[in-house]
Amino acid sequence: MKAVGYKLAHVLGGNDTLADIELPTPIAKGHDLLVAVQAISVNPVDTKIRSRVGGENGQYKVLGWDAVGTVQQVGELVTAYQPGDRVWYAGDISRPGSNAELQLVDERIVGAAPKTISNLEAAALPLTALTAWELLFDRLALPMAAGKGKALLVVGAAGGVGSILVQLARQLTEVTVIATAGRPQSKDWLCSLGAHHVIDHHQSLSEQISALGLAGVEWVASLNNTDEHIEQIVASLLPQGHLGLIDDPDVFDVKLLKRKSLALHWEFMYTRSLFQTEDMARQQQILNELAKLIDNGRVKTTVNEHFGIINAANLRKAHQLLESHQARGKIVLEGF
């Protein structure tokens, strides 16, 4: 089968880079599905792993943790799917990824793909939607269909996770959603997704929140540059509030949270699959719920850039754009 991989961890532009390769066709066993990958999206996690982790024992490493495809084969323990089913998923970071024609993935982290959108549109969503859903409802514990009079601040909201998180918060809660952005086009994007207010993360967050007539916010979802914003985040949170983050701050002084008795939550979407947790199938449930929201017109795709077919050259361009921190929405590729 065709795939895109690399052997040594590297920065873009070096001698070692993503390459078009051929790999043996895998075989589905146990809870695994063998999926013919039709469309993928590219995420910051791809670039982080490429720059830090190489293939084992001289083997190629295949990235990619977002896919839409058709089930080709099922393992003997599979109960939810059969060949021919159209599915979507974010996969398992400890296994070969979706930058390949065929991929093995555990059925417990796979959902039935939405019926009303294309493969490309669907491929933009699994990883970011799972991250956003888990951060909002499993970590921060925002109340479903409630929360009127309370507020959520989303720092760095215009990226892939923020673009879906803003929609989920608006559609599934009654919380006031305040998003941050640094560019006019990002502000327009977030307003189109339903943010009640968009403020500038280059200015004082707490002062801008005060100008909205709010004493503070009950929740903060910090999606990037948490170490740069931590003092303003703490200033913006009400006492006994909750801070959730997904990035990897170089420096994080947790003592800043003590005076207000603030709770800290870290979201890593791959925890359930990495540790085979008892609630691993929760991700299947989330993806199925999300598909219903999409098919009912309540949530829209976050596709922004179409980079063509799945090959090494196009994936290198996608990685380069992500590393420039100028991407808005999701980058997608389709077919081999």
Side-chain angles (χ1 to χ4, degrees):
M1 67 174 182
K2 293 180 181 179
V4 177
Y6 67 99
K7 289 187 175 181
L8 301 175
H10 62 280
V11 297
L12 291 178
N15 292 328
D16 297 296
T17 189
L18 300 172
D20 294 309
I21 59 175
E22 291 279 342
L23 294 175
T25 298
I27 298 172
K29 298 178 181 179
H31 283 287
D32 278 347
L33 311 174
L34 180 65
V35 177
V37 175
Q38 294 165 328
I40 65 169
S41 69
V42 189
N43 295 281
V45 65
D46 298 58
T47 68
K48 291 177 183 177
I49 292 176
R50 188 209 72 238
S51 64
R52 300 173 186 174
V53 183
E56 295 182 359
N57 302 317
Q59 300 298 307
Y60 280 101
K61 187 170 185 63
V62 176
L63 302 171
W65 289 281
D66 256 338
V68 175
T70 304
V71 176
Q72 299 294 297
Q73 186 183 88
V74 300
E76 68 276 8
L77 299 179
V78 170
T79 59
Y81 301 102
Q82 59 187 2
D85 287 345
R86 181 169 171 262
V87 295
W88 65 339
Y89 53 89
D92 177 343
I93 204 169
S94 66
R95 305 183 70 181
S98 56
N99 295 347
E101 285 187 290
L102 295 163
Q103 181 185 10
L104 291 175
V105 60
D106 192 302
E107 67 165 334
R108 291 169 291 183
I109 56 174
V110 173
K115 298 180 177 65
T116 58
I117 60 176
S118 69
N119 290 334
L120 273 177
E121 291 170 318
L125 291 170
L127 185 150
T128 52
L130 285 166
T131 299
W133 192 299
E134 290 183 355
L135 180 58
L136 285 176
F137 304 115
D138 294 354
R139 313 297 172 231
L140 292 174
L142 264 71
M144 289 269 194
K148 190 172 184 178
K150 296 185 177 182
L152 164 72
L153 173 65
V154 187
V155 179
V161 173
S163 295
I164 188 68
L165 187 146
V166 167
Q167 294 185 73
L168 293 177
R170 276 303 311 268
Q171 290 295 324
L172 301 179
T173 81
E174 296 178 0
V175 168
T176 297
V177 179
I178 306 167
T180 82
R183 298 178 294 163
Q185 57 266 48
S186 295
K187 179 177 180 179
D188 294 341
W189 170 250
L190 291 166
C191 288
S192 75
L193 297 178
H196 292 97
H197 307 284
V198 182
I199 62 177
D200 186 347
H201 50 228
H202 298 305
Q203 307 297 325
S204 169
L205 301 179
S206 58
E207 290 179 5
Q208 292 176 88
I209 290 170
S210 179
L212 296 174
L214 300 173
V217 301
E218 283 79 9
W219 302 277
V220 171
S222 182
L223 308 180
N224 55 48
N225 299 320
T226 298
D227 44 357
E228 294 180 20
H229 300 294
I230 187 60
E231 292 186 4
Q232 276 298 305
I233 287 172
V234 171
S236 302
L237 276 163
L238 292 168
Q240 302 183 87
H242 297 260
L243 166 60
L245 62 153
I246 65 171
D247 63 339
D248 305 297
D250 291 329
V251 178
F252 190 85
D253 185 2
V254 73
K255 293 191 297 293
L256 292 171
L257 309 183
K258 181 178 180 179
R259 188 165 177 265
K260 287 185 174 179
S261 295
L262 301 175
L264 175 64
H265 310 264
W266 229 306
E267 159 60 16
F268 187 51
M269 192 278 296
Y270 294 109
T271 296
R272 283 176 160 132
S273 55
L274 272 174
F275 294 95
Q276 300 279 299
T277 61
E278 291 183 1
D279 65 348
M280 184 173 164
R282 173 69 177 140
Q283 293 196 341
Q284 183 187 105
Q285 297 166 2
I286 293 170
L287 287 169
N288 287 338
E289 285 298 315
L290 182 69
K292 292 176 184 177
L293 289 170
I294 291 168
D295 289 339
N296 290 335
R298 298 179 65 189
V299 170
K300 63 182 180 180
T301 184
T302 54
V303 167
N304 193 58
E305 300 275 0
H306 183 352
F307 272 40
I309 65 171
I310 304 165
N311 63 26
N314 289 338
L315 281 166
R316 285 195 294 269
K317 292 176 185 177
H319 282 221
Q320 185 175 31
L321 178 57
L322 284 172
E323 290 182 344
S324 75
H325 302 292
Q326 298 300 309
R328 189 179 77 248
K330 293 298 294 293
I331 302 167
V332 294
L333 300 91
E334 183 176 28
F336 287 85

